[in-house]
Each structure stands twice: as C-alpha cells, then as structure tokens.
Amino acid sequence: MSAPDRSTSPAVPVVLLLIAMASLQGGAALAKILFPAVGAQGTAALRLFFSALILMPILQPWRLRLPPEGWRIVALYGLTLGGMNLMFYMSIRTIPLGIAVAIEFTGPLAVAVLTSRRLLDFGWIALAAAGLLMLLPHGDDLATLDTAGMLYALGAGICWALYIVFGQRAGLRYGPRTVALAAMFAALAVIPFGLASAGMSLFNATLLPTAVAVAVLSSALPYGLEVLVLARLPARTFGTLLSLEPVFGAIAGLLFLHEALSVTQWLAVAAIVAASAGITLTSRRGKR
C-alpha cells in the first residue's frame, strides 16, 4: 500500500474531518425524526439510498476501471458502511446518541491501538479511552441502558473499524470515486432490512425532504470528505482523531435532542479533545 498523500497542509485533512464529524452527528440527530414513520432500519435504508443517488452523478464512479481485487475491496468497504449505519440507528432507538457514539468508537480506537508503534501514542490513546469511559454511565445508571442497544452500538464499532481499513485501501488505490460505489453497495445491502421493517411506508413522499437532508448530512457529505482524509492521514492518526466523534455526538444530542451532559461527561469531552490534539501534534513533529 502506498503512503498517504501529504502534499497539502497537514491542517487541511484535519479540518475536513471535523466538518465531516459535525455533519454526521447533526444528521444522526435529525434522523430520529424518521424513526416513528419507518423505524431505524427504514431510516438507514433511506439514508444510504439517497446518499448513493447524490454521490453517483457527482463522483461518476463508472469512470473507474477496477480489477477484480478492486471490486472486492470496494464491496467490503460498502458492506461495512451499510452495517455501521444500520446497527448505529438500531442502537440510538433505545440509548442516547452520545452514549451510542462513545460505544461505537471502540472500533476506531482499536484501529489506533493496533497500528500504533510509539509509547507516546499509547499515552494519547489511553487518555482518549479514559474520556470514553467517563462518558459511559456507571453503577445504577448503567442498568437504565438497553442491553440490545449497547450491543448494536458495539457492532457498529466493529463495522467502523473495518470501514477505516477498507476505506483507506479503496481511497489510496482507486481514489475518491470509490465512495459512491461503496454507498451503492451499502444501500443494496440495507434496503431489504428497510423494506422488511417499514414496507410501503418507505416510499411515502412526505418523508422525502427529511430523508434527503439526512442523506446529505449523515452520508454524502461526511463520507465524501472522509475518503479524501483517509488518503492523506495514516490510519492511526485518523482513528484517534475520530475520538472527537463522541464529542460531536454529545453536543448534537444536547442541541437537537435535549440530552444534557453532566460535569463528568464534560470532563470526558475535554480529555478526548486533548488526546486528539496531542496525537495530531506529536504525529506532525515525528515526521519532520
């Protein structure tokens, strides 16, 4: 595998990733509006279907000439994308958005751990992990969380880890057009679940504006940006920077779903931000 492209300023992929995360979590909060009408499965199907429709004419993936190995990587990229979306929406039916994102982040954190080589990297990862643990409820509060919801969030995290691996391979080898093909594979995989759950309600025209908005905010924009970022940052740096995802999830939950944060959870947010900033700064210094 060739090295990530660092011809542009190191700040550019970081800014793009921050925009992607803010968009993704805002879209997740908006998506819950669709749950009463089509369920979590139907919402995931609509999100991925319209994302593919938006991305296909923009990225024009038909111009790609993929070898058989390329199709395999892109298909796996798409399947992990679909699984991540479906299981994440299944989780936020019953547990708060910020908590679901914190559990889901075990996937990117695992990527960061498995691809780290320096002792300092493990220090930043440990700080991010401590922040994530602080975000989770403890004791009696833990009993209030739905077990199935937490397991779905963990499954989404596994898919997220694989998404990072396959997304980087696809982006490095075949470019950003692969994200449109991945969205198509993801939609084809998840639409049957949506139809089984929502039936003909999935085609209700009144849901169209919200579904398109969710698709743009939750998939088309963030995944389009992330495929660019994946080709410009090492998997370790990308995975640890994504520790900011629970922060954006908690803020989106507060702003749009009225899920208030405790003092401990705000301290957790500060720890995660510090870890993300630390690994970014020390990664840059180590490459000079």
Side-chain angles (χ1 to χ4, degrees):
M1 183 188 302
S2 58
D5 176 18
R6 297 186 183 88
S7 59
T8 57
S9 168
V12 171
V14 174
V15 171
L16 292 178
L17 188 56
L18 292 176
I19 294 171
M21 288 188 285
S23 177
L24 183 63
Q25 297 308 318
L30 179 63
K32 293 194 78 168
I33 296 175
L34 294 174
F35 281 16
V38 294
Q41 302 95 319
T43 301
L46 288 173
R47 165 181 168 172
L48 292 168
F49 173 73
F50 285 111
S51 296
L53 286 186
I54 293 167
L55 289 169
M56 293 292 277
I58 294 173
L59 297 178
Q60 301 177 350
W62 51 84
R63 294 188 176 184
L64 285 171
R65 295 295 180 268
L66 295 177
E69 172 66 12
W71 281 107
R72 187 183 71 85
I73 292 173
V74 172
L76 290 171
Y77 179 27
L79 290 175
T80 56
L81 173 61
M84 178 174 64
N85 279 277
L86 177 60
M87 285 191 276
F88 178 71
Y89 278 179
M90 295 292 286
S91 73
I92 64 173
R93 291 182 309 171
T94 55
I95 64 176
L97 177 61
I99 301 301
V101 178
I103 296 172
E104 185 190 30
F105 182 70
T106 54
L109 189 61
V111 172
V113 170
L114 293 174
T115 57
S116 291
R117 296 292 181 268
R118 300 181 304 167
L119 184 61
L120 183 59
D121 292 336
F122 286 101
W124 294 123
I125 292 167
L127 181 59
L132 290 169
L133 288 174
M134 292 168 67
L135 272 178
L136 294 174
H138 300 280
D140 293 338
D141 291 336
L142 186 60
T144 64
L145 286 180
D146 177 62
T147 302
M150 291 191 290
L151 290 175
Y152 277 125
L154 185 61
I158 295 171
C159 288
W160 196 356
L162 295 172
Y163 162 80
I164 292 172
V165 174
F166 293 124
Q168 186 179 47
R169 290 180 184 175
L172 285 174
R173 296 182 186 181
Y174 309 111
R177 296 184 197 275
T178 54
V179 74
L181 282 179
M184 181 188 70
F185 278 112
L188 290 175
V190 174
I191 283 174
F193 292 95
L195 288 172
S197 171
M200 295 305 295
S201 298
L202 207 61
F203 305 101
N204 189 334
T206 62
L207 302 177
L208 182 61
T210 304
V212 171
V214 169
V216 172
L217 291 173
S218 297
S219 292
L221 177 59
Y223 295 139
L225 291 175
E226 282 183 9
V227 79
L228 297 175
V229 173
L230 281 164
R232 288 166 173 79
L233 287 178
R236 169 180 50 80
T237 305
F238 180 87
T240 307
L241 272 172
L242 282 178
S243 61
L244 286 171
E245 197 78 71
V247 176
F248 284 98
I251 292 173
L254 175 65
L255 293 178
F256 305 116
L257 303 175
H258 309 294
E259 296 171 352
L261 296 175
S262 67
V263 173
T264 300
Q265 288 171 324
W266 278 119
L267 289 174
V269 166
I272 294 167
V273 170
S276 295
I279 198 166
T280 303
L281 292 173
T282 56
S283 176
R284 284 184 59 187
R285 289 171 186 164
K287 290 175 172 44
R288 287 179 181 173

